[in-house]
């Protein structure tokens, strides 16, 4: 495949992706291979590598003094910034509004989850390194 043909094929595939609302396309013709992936359109957080991205839907009032932190996106839950670092929070820790309490990795981007209120961590439901679903309970804070 010559350069002009390759560029034209990429343009056509990008148009097909857009028209059909596709996230990923892989085409192989002979030894030539084209892989295209669209940018994810975050709905609940601004995904930025190792930057604070306050989620819109992360908490739910469960009673007068209890709040549930919910996963703002689908991904892998991490309790610490790296394996050799201590967890952001542990049961019994006091947290402040805006404090980073965990990370959710999604599409190779690290999304910091910040708490929306002051309180004390009473329970941590998620397990570090395991997948979490959107709106899944992560922690109970009162």
């Amino acid at each position: 495949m010559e350069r002009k043909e390759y560029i034209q094929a990429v343009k056509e595939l990008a148009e097909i992706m857009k028209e059909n609302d596709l996230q990923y396309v892989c085409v192989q013709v002979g030894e030539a291979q084209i892989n295209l992936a669209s940018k994810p359109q975050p709905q609940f957080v601004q995904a930025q590598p190792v930057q604070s991205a306050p989620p819109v839907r992360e908490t739910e009032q469960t009673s007068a003094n209890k709040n549930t932190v919910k996963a703002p996106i689908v991904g892998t839950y991490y309790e610490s910034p790296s394996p050799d670092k201590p967890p952001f929070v542990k049961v019994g820790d006091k947290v402040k509004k805006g404090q980073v309490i965990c990370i959710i990795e999604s599409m190779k981007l690290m999304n910091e989850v910040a708490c929306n209120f002051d309180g004390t961590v009473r329970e941590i439901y998620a397990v570090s390194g395991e997948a979490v679903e959107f709106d899944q309970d992560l922690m109970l804070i009162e």
Side-chain angles (χ1 to χ4, degrees):
M1 189 179 275
E2 294 201 19
R3 179 174 161 75
K4 285 184 180 181
E5 293 174 316
Y6 186 79
I7 292 170
Q8 185 60 35
V10 169
K11 287 180 181 179
E12 289 174 15
L13 284 173
E15 189 61 34
I16 290 169
M17 286 178 66
K18 185 177 179 182
E19 289 172 359
N20 295 288
D21 197 27
L22 300 174
Q23 298 294 319
Y24 181 78
V25 171
C26 175
V27 175
Q28 185 167 356
V29 178
E31 292 194 22
Q33 182 174 356
I34 301 172
N35 295 305
L36 294 177
S38 65
K39 274 187 169 179
Q41 300 298 317
Q43 296 176 347
F44 299 100
V45 296
Q46 293 178 340
Q48 298 175 9
V50 195
Q51 293 288 326
S52 180
V56 175
R57 290 189 63 202
E58 85 173 41
T59 60
E60 175 183 279
Q61 194 75 21
T62 56
S63 74
N65 296 324
K66 295 182 181 181
N67 296 287
T68 303
V69 177
K70 297 196 173 272
I73 55 176
V74 173
T76 303
Y77 170 88
Y78 292 106
E79 67 183 1
S80 63
S82 66
D84 60 334
K85 301 284 184 189
F88 289 105
V89 295
K90 302 180 298 296
V91 172
D93 285 356
K94 296 210 179 291
V95 292
K96 298 259 185 213
K97 182 176 182 176
Q99 178 180 340
V100 174
I101 55 177
C102 67
I103 292 176
I104 298 179
E105 178 186 5
S106 180
M107 298 186 73
K108 303 205 186 242
L109 293 174
M110 299 299 185
N111 302 283
E112 293 181 339
V113 178
C115 194
N116 270 352
F117 41 82
D118 296 342
T120 302
V121 178
R122 291 296 174 214
E123 290 187 59
I124 299 176
Y125 306 118
V127 177
S128 194
E130 292 192 3
V132 293
E133 297 294 325
F134 167 73
D135 216 29
Q136 177 179 331
D137 293 350
L138 300 177
M139 294 181 198
L140 176 65
I141 299 179
E142 36 178 47

